[in-house]
Every structure is written in C-alpha cells, then in structure tokens.
Amino acid sequence: MKTIEGLHAEKEWFNKVMKNDRVTGSEAIVRSLLIEGVECVFGIPGGSVLNIYDAIHDLPELKHILARHEQGAIHAADGYARATGKVGVCFATSGPGATNLVTGIATANMDSVPLVVITGNVSTALLGTDAFQEADITGITMPISKHNFLVRDVNELPKIIHEAFYIASTGRKGPVLIDIPKDVTSQEMIFHYPIDKPEIRGYHPDIVPDLTQIDKLLMAIEKAERPVILAGGGVIYSDASKELLEFVEKTRIPVTTTLLGLGAFPSAHELWMGMPGMHGTYTANKALQNCDLLISIGARFDDRVTMKTSGFAPKAKTIAHIDIDPAEIGKIVQTAIPCIGDVKSVLRKANVQAKPAKSEAWLTEIQASKRENPLRYTDSETALKPQFVIEMISETSNGEAIVTTDVGQNQMWAAQFYKFRHPRSLITSGGLGTMGFGLPSAIGAQVGNPDRLVVSVNGDGGIQMCTQELAICAIHNIPVKIVILNNQVLGMIRQWQEIIYDNRFSHMELSGSPDFVKLAEAYGVTGLRATNKEEACEVWKKAMDIQGPVLIDFVISQDENVYPMVAPGGTIDEMIMGDEK
C-alpha cells in the first residue's frame, strides 16, 4: 500500500488540499477522495448530496460521470475497480437513490470488489422520523457490505473516509458504505487528514502465512500423482498471476480456473484445463473428480463449481485451501491443509522450495482428454452461432481485450470461448449473477483503461436492464464495443425449462423488445446488425474501425444451448454434452 505522500508526490494540488484550514464537510469529502487517489466518481445528484456536488463544481482533478440510474453508477464503479485494481467510488442521494445501489453493493460484496459508496441522508435531526426520502441505508446494507459508517460528526469525516478506503482495499476486499446526513456536509471543521495506516479495533487484515502449513502443502505435492489446482478470483485480486504461473511450472500441476479466475492463468498454457463446474470443460470436471490432491488457490468452492458437494472431488485424499479469509476455510469443503493469507504472499513463500509432483503420467492423461474433448458446437453457414461470435472477437482481439458480460448464456459463452491472456480481463458478476451488469461495468472498465479495447457481451434480456447508460457512452465518447447476443428469449431460463422442466416454457419470451440498432442510434451510438457469419465478420470489422462506442446486434437462434451442462443436484462429472457429442 503506497503512502499518501508517495501517491501524490508530483501533483500540484496535493499541498493545497492537505492544508489544515477551515472547510465544510463537503469540501472535506472531496479533499479526502483526492488524497486517497480517486480519479473518477460515478453517481447521480439528489437533495441530500447537493452540498457534495457543489464542492466538486469546476474541480478538474476529480472527474465525475453522471449515470442515468444509480445501479448503472455502482456497476460502473465496480467495473472500474475490477479492471484497474483500484477502489471504485460512487455517489447517491438518500432514500431511493441509496436503495437503488443495493443490488450493486451485494454484487461487489459477493465477488470481493473494493468500493467506497457515499450516500447522503436527511439531516441528523430528522433521522428516524420517516422524513422525505429517508431510508436506513446502513441497516439495509449491513448484511451485504464489508462495513458501513453513519457519520454524525463532521470532524470525523476525514478519519472515516481514510478507514473506509483501507477496509475496502485490504484483506478480503469489499464494498464499504459511508452514509452522511446533509447537515454534516454543510458544517465546518478544521481539515486534517490522517496519513498513517489506520488502526481499527478488531480489524487485522495482514495475516502472516503459517510456514508449517506451506511445508505440509509442499510435502503433499511431492507425493501426489494426480494433483489439480483450482484457481479463483483471489489470485487476480492479490495480483498473484505471476506467482501462480511460477508455482504451476515448478510443481507441474494442471490448473482449472473458476469464472472469476479466468485470466489468472494464461489460457494458451499446456497445463490449463479450462473452467470447471456447471458449464465447465469435460477435462477440468473429470480431473477434479479423479485428483488425489486438490489445491484451491483464492477460490471459495462456490456451488456452481462444486455442484453436488457430497460428490465433489471424491478421490482427493488431501484438500488444501489458500485463502485470505479464514471464514472460507472448511466452510464448504473439508480442508486438511489450510494456508491462510494473501495468495501472493503464500505462493511467494511456497515457490522458494516448490518441487514437481509425480504427475507426468497424469499430465499425459490430461493432454489426451483436452485433445479428445474440446468445447464443441455445431457450426452453420446460414444461422449465426453465438460461439462463433465469441471466437471471432477473441481471435480478432488476440485475447487482449477487457471483456465484460451480463449474466446467462452470454456470460457462459464468453467464459468458454474467449481466450483470456491476462488477469483483470474478464469483468463479470459471479456470486450474485446480476443481470444489467454488463454495459455499465464496461463503461467503468473503459474509463479506468482508456487505451484498452473493452467489449461488453450481453443478452437481449440483461442489456434492457441498464440500456439507459448508452447515454454515457455517447456523451463522453466512451469507445466500448457493445455486443448483444440476441435470441429474443431469456436464454438460460429457456435452456433450463427445456432440459429440466421437460420443455414447459413459461414466460421466457422477450417479444416486444426494441430494435436495438435504432435504440443505439436514438442515444447517439452507432448501431450495427448481423444475422449470419459473413455479416458478423463485416460488422465486427466495421465496429473495430470506429473510434467511439458501437452497439452490434448479433441475431442468433433461440434453440442454442450452453454445453457442457451439469443439472442441479448432479455431480460435476455428470455432464450433459448436448447434440455435439
């Protein structure tokens, strides 16, 4: 963690904002954000935060992007945080403004994303009186945030903001909410910003890894004949991809990466098996079920990975778990070797003495399985296949793009067929599965990475939950390439109703959806459409040549399913392979 001085050593405004002069609470908030290194805030003003918005008037050092819905604002802040590794920040007013953030806070909390969410509230004297636009947002968000604050004393603002950024960005990262009554933002104080590391009672995120447990892990590896590494989002959040690659190459253990772990390990590497779980690859799922040593690294054994827990990894004599959160150890799967600590720190220590497993025969078996059981789909020269669209995007971008997704079939096709080369390249809602996430998160990712290609992959259902954020793309010329895999249905719902509910299709058709090309154009965004492979290649090339936002409506069949698939209640080796197998 950089020191405050080190973060701003060359910035002209730093000494000015650090002055111990008299300011309002709103000015203290803005100064504090600048000191914490915040470059961009996403939000929507309202009565309870107008003092804060007045304080950022004509302030070029702090960029603000006006969302069209609070959910769009917080998903944009989330995408910014995931894509950059920095803390994302958003503003909202009291009452409905604050409650509109709830889904986004829960999304970030489930996926361990560092956010600082600043909400306004009614004046202190009105708290608890059911005043106009009052909501107990700290009470509402307590179960879905890492921590939250209600500020009653203006003099506490700098200290609380400093602590909020520290809590959000250390240990198991997560969203922190600061609720500030309006009168607190107008009161005056002598500004003083704490520059030392906060000392918070009961919060000690710097866990020193237990060398004894690491030694046990290394001994288990040396004895293992069929080891597997399950790598998750924790590898990315701790910036430990380099250490993971070194660990894998020293130990010669094949790797499967969870949905949130995609990009943590290069997809082109011979030891990568793909994604595991409900829509995981045949090789990854079979390897998990037949391994004798399972090492989870920054993955929490989510139910979409393990499926039927009692039947998960039944041949694993030893399960090791590396995680920064002690609460995750043994929560889902019984763990023999707990390695509690930051993934980067644990792997660095392990790499000092790591030796190969007895895995050469196992690796030969894995490689044969990868050749014999690749991801498949039945291609067509007349109908446009969603898998082809993702493959085309992957090949033309050389796996270098930042890809955000919505939730459903579009998410799984992107995870399966885009070949991620780097960490922080897949931005997706994993734990909560939030529809509407894809477009606004892409805006945040692009703001944080202005020189990268950002592609937002959406279904025609999810895109309609936040299409209003197209206005941001147009106004700020944010050059996101917005892909819609348009099958005129809620695709994953239709797939489940076909496979699990015996073709009893109930309320999954999206008839009445807009013409997305016209909708894009109405917002001032270029709109394109493709219905077959030739058109798809043409419009994608055209989209890539346009220096600005583009929406591409790829019209696909309603009947296309995501395979492999494990039905709920099954073990991960009970895969439905589809018509292609």
Side-chain angles (χ1 to χ4, degrees), residues 276-278 280-291 305-308 310-315 564-567 569-577:
M278 175 176 277
T281 67
Y282 181 92
T283 300
N285 283 355
K286 284 291 187 180
L288 284 168
Q289 294 300 82
N290 290 291
C291 66
V305 170
T306 65
M307 299 306 293
K308 184 179 178 181
S310 61
F312 178 69
K315 298 180 182 179
M565 175 181 174
V566 178
T571 57
I572 58 171
D573 54 352
E574 296 176 338
M575 288 169 276
I576 303 167
M577 301 304 293

Side-chain angles (χ1 to χ4, degrees), residues 272-327:
W272 187 64
M273 299 182 290
M275 183 178 70
M278 175 176 277
H279 295 292
T281 67
Y282 181 92
T283 300
N285 283 355
K286 284 291 187 180
L288 284 168
Q289 294 300 82
N290 290 291
C291 66
D292 61 0
L293 170 64
L294 174 57
I295 307 170
S296 173
I297 305 179
R300 61 183 178 87
F301 294 110
D302 176 78
D303 59 286
R304 286 296 174 96
V305 170
T306 65
M307 299 306 293
K308 184 179 178 181
T309 309
S310 61
F312 178 69
K315 298 180 182 179
K317 299 174 184 176
T318 304
I319 295 179
H321 192 171
I322 302 173
D323 204 291
I324 199 166
D325 186 356

Side-chain angles (χ1 to χ4, degrees), residues 231-247:
V235 177
I236 294 172
Y237 298 152
S238 67
D239 295 318
S241 297
K242 179 181 177 182
E243 286 77 10
L244 175 62
L245 179 60
E246 181 183 349
F247 183 72

Side-chain angles (χ1 to χ4, degrees), residues 161-407:
I161 292 173
H162 190 44
E163 289 182 355
F165 274 85
Y166 179 67
I167 292 169
S169 61
T170 55
R172 181 175 181 172
K173 299 174 175 64
V176 177
L177 180 135
I178 308 173
D179 192 37
I180 311 172
K182 186 171 183 178
D183 58 316
V184 174
T185 64
S186 63
Q187 292 165 3
E188 292 189 342
M189 61 173 291
I190 300 299
F191 185 78
H192 174 74
Y193 201 78
I195 60 174
D196 296 326
K197 177 177 146 181
E199 293 293 334
I200 303 171
R201 187 174 63 182
Y203 184 67
H204 306 289
D206 298 325
I207 299 171
V208 179
D210 187 337
L211 295 179
T212 303
Q213 296 300 329
I214 294 175
D215 288 341
K216 287 181 181 178
L217 172 61
L218 295 178
M219 286 190 288
I221 290 171
E222 288 187 52
K223 296 176 183 177
E225 296 180 357
R226 300 187 311 279
V228 165
I229 289 172
L230 173 65
V235 177
I236 294 172
Y237 298 152
S238 67
D239 295 318
S241 297
K242 179 181 177 182
E243 286 77 10
L244 175 62
L245 179 60
E246 181 183 349
F247 183 72
V248 168
E249 293 187 337
K250 283 186 173 181
T251 59
R252 300 292 294 163
I253 301 177
V255 182
T256 177
T257 44
T258 68
L259 176 66
L260 292 183
L262 290 172
F265 193 79
S267 59
H269 199 284
E270 62 173 350
L271 296 182
W272 187 64
M273 299 182 290
M275 183 178 70
M278 175 176 277
H279 295 292
T281 67
Y282 181 92
T283 300
N285 283 355
K286 284 291 187 180
L288 284 168
Q289 294 300 82
N290 290 291
C291 66
D292 61 0
L293 170 64
L294 174 57
I295 307 170
S296 173
I297 305 179
R300 61 183 178 87
F301 294 110
D302 176 78
D303 59 286
R304 286 296 174 96
V305 170
T306 65
M307 299 306 293
K308 184 179 178 181
T309 309
S310 61
F312 178 69
K315 298 180 182 179
K317 299 174 184 176
T318 304
I319 295 179
H321 192 171
I322 302 173
D323 204 291
I324 199 166
D325 186 356
E328 291 296 339
I329 306 293
K331 185 174 85 173
I332 306 297
V333 174
Q334 188 173 356
T335 302
I337 305 174
C339 295
I340 302 171
D342 179 71
V343 167
K344 191 181 192 79
S345 178
V346 173
L347 288 180
R348 277 182 172 176
K349 293 181 184 300
N351 282 335
V352 174
Q353 298 183 47
K355 295 179 182 178
K358 299 176 181 178
S359 58
E360 289 311 311
W362 175 239
L363 293 180
T364 299
E365 184 180 334
I366 294 293
Q367 294 302 327
S369 178
K370 286 174 63 177
R371 290 192 299 272
E372 295 166 9
N373 302 284
L375 291 168
R376 293 184 173 94
Y377 65 95
T378 302
D379 203 0
S380 172
E381 294 303 317
T382 54
L384 182 57
K385 296 286 184 163
Q387 301 93 332
F388 170 82
V389 173
I390 301 299
E391 285 183 327
M392 174 188 68
I393 295 170
S394 181
E395 290 169 7
T396 55
S397 63
N398 197 29
E400 297 283 348
I402 295 174
V403 177
T404 78
T405 81
D406 215 273
V407 171

